Structure formats: structure tokens, C-alpha cells
Amino acid sequence: MIVDCAIYRDGCRTEGPADFSDALDEARARGDAFLWIGLHEPTEKEFELVTSEFGLHPLAVEDALRAHQRPKLEVYDDSLFLVLKPVQYDDKAGTVTAGELMVFVGDSFVVTVRHGGANPLSTVRDRLEKTPEVLQHGPTAVMYAVSDAVVDHYLDVADALHGDLEGLETEVFAPNAGAGQNTAGRIYAFKREVMEFRRSTGPLGEPMERLTGAGVPFVHEGSRPFFRDVSDHLTRVNEHVEGLDRLLSDILSAHLAQMGVRQNDDMRKISAWAAMAAVPTMIAGIYGMNFEHMPELEQPWGYPGVVALMGGVIAVLYRWFKRRGWL
């Protein structure tokens, strides 16, 4: 559906014709105005009118309708097509959800198409309308502001992920870590969320790099320093995400090593107790055999002597295992 549609002249919002074609003709006739249309998960029928009026490329239209695209920048004859993936992080559930945001930029028009729950566009439009000195630079200003809002939110999500990762790291290295907890599963689930975040931030580096250079149509020459700033922020995000991924791998390896050490400790304790139990079992087994002629059977001290021997051997073994750290 169409969320908003307006003509902007000298950075200020003005009322225009309700018809797309008339509004676009009016914006182009003025020379200092452009039309900005925002859509949310449009159907093919709803987008058909926009496609015909603005002359959008069929491949870009197909991408905008179906979504599920990687971040990219495509240059067509009559428009520029940028795909962004805004993300949301639910710190309670520990999940990263990525939406999609497509931006068409052409001669005196901007068309934004949003899929998913993440919605930076409302705040971007409000902020731009309060700063006409930025909005007067035309469609390029909208593309920059949308990109900047998405990437700035990446930084917030990266910080939130890092904070939760520190909590998980503390739990993993706690003295009683792993007791009745699926720690390895939690680490792996967290790693999957970081990977989902990485799918949104990583591929965006190349489009932002292209926008910082010359030769991209429909992009104002003076906007390159601003896109360079967005690219720098994105580089920070990607470095942060890469660090999170490496740290998660190290935490998982450390947890598995801890589990191995604990299992070795348990096996040593079990072996020590089994060894102490084996000695009296062996002695009792010998004296339990039905032979008539065996030593000490006729002696009054035979029974207490054997019991004392068992206790003495067990005490010696216990002390020896204790000194070696097996118990």
C-alpha cells in the first residue's frame, strides 16, 4: 500500500496532484522539486501503476515485489536501484530479524519500497522535513538519509549484540558453567543470529563504496563525502560483526575444552573409586572360595585381620589418589 506521497520544492513539502503522472510532471516542470512516494509491501497490481508512470526497469520491479534480495546497487537507464536490509534485534528473545528496503532514484523522483517490520523511513522523512537545507539537494538526499539511518541502526544492533555476548561469555566461564544448561546450543544459536546480521551488513559495503565515487547517475556530485561517511560507519559495523563472530568461535572452543576437562576429571574420579573398590572385592573373593585348606581360616584373628588389611589398602589408595588430584 502507499504510505506517503508528496512533492518537495526547495526542501519543503508542498501539496500536489493526487495522480502520479501529474505530480511527476509538475515536479519536473518546476526544476527544483521532486516527488517522493513510499510504499509498504505493495502487491503487483498496486505497483503496476508506479512502474508505468516512472518507467522502472522490469528486473528492479521484480526484485522490489518479491524481496529476499542481497544489498546491492543497480544502475539502469532511467533510474538507480538500491537495496538495503534494515534489521531489528529482540534482546529478550535474542533474535535478529532483517527486513528489506528498496530505493528507486530517478529524474525528479524517489520511490521507496519497504518489506518487513523494520521501518526507518517514518523517522527519516520526519527528520528530513525538519531540515529543508538537506532535503533541497533532491532525491540524492533521500537516498543518503535512508542509508545513513539504516547503517546507524546497525551500530546500535552491534552494540546490543556485544552486550549480550559479554553476558554469555560470563556464564560460560562461571565456576558452575554447563550444569544443567545447553550452553553449546545457546552459543550456536547466538552465532546464527550474528550470521543473519552479517548477511545484511556485509554485502552493503560494495554499493556504498560505489556511491562514494564518481560516475554514478542520478547522484549529486556533492553527496560523495556524505556517502563516504556512511561507508566508514558501515566498515566499523562489519569489523565489529567480524569480531563478534571470531569471539563466538573462541567461546565455543573454550566451552568444548572445558567440557572435555570436566569429563576427564569425572573419569579420573570414577577410576579412583573403582580402584579402591576393586582391592576389597578381590580379597573378599579370594576368601569366599570354597577351599578347605586356606591360611588364617583357623586363626581367631583371621577375620579382623583381613578387614583391617582391606581398610588399610583403601586408606593408602585414597591418600595416593588425593595427592595426585584424582579425588
Side-chain angles (χ1 to χ4, degrees):
M1 65 177 181
I2 298 176
V3 178
D4 200 351
C5 177
I7 295 177
Y8 294 90
R9 183 179 182 183
D10 289 331
C12 298
R13 182 173 182 139
T14 61
E15 296 298 330
D19 183 77
F20 292 158
S21 181
D22 294 339
L24 182 60
D25 290 341
E26 181 178 330
R28 287 174 173 171
R30 290 179 175 179
D32 58 352
F34 69 94
L35 177 65
W36 182 0
I37 299 177
L39 301 100
H40 178 229
E41 297 182 357
T43 63
E44 185 174 351
K45 185 177 181 179
E46 290 173 336
F47 206 61
E48 184 177 350
L49 179 60
V50 178
T51 302
S52 60
E53 294 296 341
F54 293 94
L56 305 179
H57 196 278
L59 292 177
V61 171
E62 181 180 357
D63 291 343
L65 289 173
R66 295 185 179 181
H68 304 295
Q69 303 296 316
R70 296 174 73 250
K72 63 180 180 179
L73 177 66
E74 299 287 351
V75 179
Y76 298 103
D77 293 336
D78 298 324
S79 63
L80 194 66
F81 180 56
L82 175 66
V83 179
L84 303 164
K85 293 183 76 71
V87 298
Q88 287 180 315
Y89 179 57
D90 186 348
D91 54 353
K92 293 182 178 179
T95 56
V96 174
T97 305
E100 290 196 32
L101 181 57
M102 290 81 168
V103 183
F104 293 89
V105 174
D107 181 16
S108 301
F109 73 85
V110 178
V111 178
T112 54
V113 183
R114 178 172 62 89
H115 293 266
N119 181 22
L121 290 178
S122 59
T123 57
V124 168
R125 190 185 285 262
D126 291 341
R127 187 171 67 249
L128 284 175
E129 289 180 353
K130 293 177 182 177
T131 54
E133 65 275 8
V134 176
L135 198 56
Q136 68 182 358
H137 289 90
T140 304
V142 177
M143 178 181 286
Y144 157 72
V146 172
S147 303
D148 186 56
V150 171
V151 173
D152 282 348
H153 190 60
Y154 285 165
L155 290 170
D156 296 336
V157 172
D159 290 339
L161 285 170
H162 190 270
D164 287 351
L165 180 58
E166 288 180 346
L168 181 61
E169 184 179 16
T170 301
E171 292 181 16
V172 168
F173 292 102
N176 60 343
Q181 300 175 1
N182 184 20
T183 306
R186 292 179 59 201
I187 296 174
Y188 183 73
F190 201 103
K191 193 174 181 67
R192 286 187 61 123
E193 300 306 322
V194 172
M195 184 179 296
E196 178 69 20
F197 187 34
R198 196 171 190 171
R199 289 196 190 102
S200 300
T201 65
L204 188 58
E206 190 269 339
M208 289 297 106
E209 189 67 25
R210 288 177 62 187
L211 289 170
T212 62
V216 181
F218 308 110
V219 176
H220 194 275
E221 290 293 329
S223 66
R224 278 185 282 176
F226 297 96
F227 282 111
R228 190 175 300 116
D229 181 67
V230 176
S231 180
D232 291 342
H233 289 176
L234 183 62
T235 300
R236 286 175 50 197
V237 171
N238 286 327
E239 290 175 351
H240 201 162
V241 174
E242 185 177 352
L244 289 175
D245 188 60
R246 286 199 306 266
L247 186 56
L248 274 169
S249 298
D250 293 342
I251 291 175
L252 181 59
S253 299
H255 172 68
L256 295 177
Q258 282 183 327
M259 295 298 294
V261 170
R262 291 194 187 99
Q263 289 176 352
N264 288 337
D265 289 341
D266 293 340
M267 289 302 300
R268 287 193 299 181
K269 291 178 181 179
I270 293 171
S271 300
W273 286 110
M276 288 189 291
V279 172
T281 301
M282 180 188 68
I283 296 175
I286 292 174
Y287 281 92
M289 292 186 292
N290 296 322
F291 290 109
E292 182 177 353
H293 302 288
M294 292 185 68
E296 291 87 30
L297 288 180
E298 302 295 334
Q299 301 296 332
W301 50 265
Y303 176 76
V306 171
V307 172
L309 175 63
M310 292 180 184
V313 172
I314 292 174
V316 171
L317 289 175
Y318 180 83
R319 184 176 180 183
W320 185 68
F321 287 134
K322 195 74 173 177
R323 291 179 61 183
R324 292 180 62 87
W326 284 39
L327 292 174

